C-alpha cells in the first residue's frame, strides 16, 4: 500500500508540473488570437508569426550563442580547476574549493538579482560579456563538482 501512495503522489506531482506546459503547447495551435477553451480551430499561424518576429529571432540567436559559450568556458575552466585541486597541493585549497562551490548554495534567482544589483551599484553597463560572465559564475561550480 505504501508504494502505491508514493507512486500516486509522484504522478500527481508530475501532472502538476507538466500540465501547464501541455496547455501552452495545445493553445499554441489555436486559430484564435487569445488562448481560450474550447479551441476554435487548429492553425500553424502563430508559428509563422513567430518566425517573422525579428526581436524573437534575435533573442533566440543570443540565447544559442550564450549557451554555447557558457558551456565551452565553464567546461574548460571547470576541468582545469578540478584537475589542479585534485592533483596538486594548492595553498588555501579548502578556501578555494569552498568559494568555487558556494554559488550552488544560493538559489539562481537570488544570485542573478544580487549580481545585477552589484553591477548596477558599480555603474557597469549591461552587455553580452556581463551576461556571459554571470552564466559562467552560475555553471562553473556544477562542472567543478561533477569533474
Amino acid at each position: 500500500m505504501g508504494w502505491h501512495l508514493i507512486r500516486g503522489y509522484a504522478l500527481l506531482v508530475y501532472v502538476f508540473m507538466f500540465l501547464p506546459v501541455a496547455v501552452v503547447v495545445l493553445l499554441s495551435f489555436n486559430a484564435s488570437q487569445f488562448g481560450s477553451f474550447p479551441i476554435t480551430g487548429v492553425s500553424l499561424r502563430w508559428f509563422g508569426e513567430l518566425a517573422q518576429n525579428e526581436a524573437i529571432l534575435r533573442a533566440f540567436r543570443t540565447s544559442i550563442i550564450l549557451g554555447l559559450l557558457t558551456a565551452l568556458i565553464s567546461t574548460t575552466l571547470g576541468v582545469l580547476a578540478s584537475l589542479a585541486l585534485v592533483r596538486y597541493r594548492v595553498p588555501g585549497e579548502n578556501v578555494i574549493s569552498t568559494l568555487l562551490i558556494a554559488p550552488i548554495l544560493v538559489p539562481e534567482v537570488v544570485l542573478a538579482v544580487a549580481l545585477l544589483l552589484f553591477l548596477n551599484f558599480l555603474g557597469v553597463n549591461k552587455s553580452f560579456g556581463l551576461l556571459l560572465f554571470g552564466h559562467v559564475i552560475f555553471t562553473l561550480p556544477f562542472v567543478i563538482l561533477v569533474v
Side-chain angles (χ1 to χ4, degrees):
M1 181 67 178
W3 282 108
H4 292 296
L5 287 174
I6 291 174
R7 287 184 184 132
Y9 180 73
L11 181 65
L12 287 174
V13 169
Y14 280 122
V15 168
F16 179 76
M17 296 296 288
F18 290 112
L19 189 60
V21 175
V23 169
V24 169
V25 170
L26 182 64
L27 288 177
S28 71
F29 293 102
N30 193 356
S32 173
Q33 181 176 358
F34 302 104
S36 62
F37 287 105
I39 293 178
T40 58
V42 178
S43 172
L44 296 175
R45 170 183 167 206
W46 303 116
F47 293 99
E49 295 279 336
L50 185 68
Q52 293 175 1
N53 188 328
E54 186 57 36
I56 296 292
L57 294 176
R58 191 172 49 250
F60 180 71
R61 283 190 295 271
T62 301
S63 294
I64 294 296
I65 293 168
L66 180 66
L68 291 173
L69 287 175
T70 299
L72 179 70
I73 293 169
S74 292
T75 302
T76 303
L77 292 177
V79 168
L80 293 174
S82 297
L83 288 174
L85 289 171
V86 169
R87 292 189 178 183
Y88 304 105
R89 291 203 179 267
V90 178
E93 179 179 340
N94 289 335
V95 173
I96 293 171
S97 294
T98 303
L99 289 175
L100 288 174
I101 302 290
I104 291 177
L105 303 174
V106 180
E108 301 94 17
V109 173
V110 173
L111 183 64
V113 171
L115 184 59
L116 182 63
L117 291 174
F118 179 67
L119 292 173
N120 279 339
F121 174 74
L122 294 178
V124 179
N125 293 330
K126 295 178 214 77
S127 67
F128 181 81
L130 287 176
L131 188 63
L132 178 62
F133 180 69
H135 279 77
V136 170
I137 286 174
F138 178 71
T139 56
L140 186 61
F142 291 100
V143 176
I144 293 171
L145 191 62
V146 169
V147 174

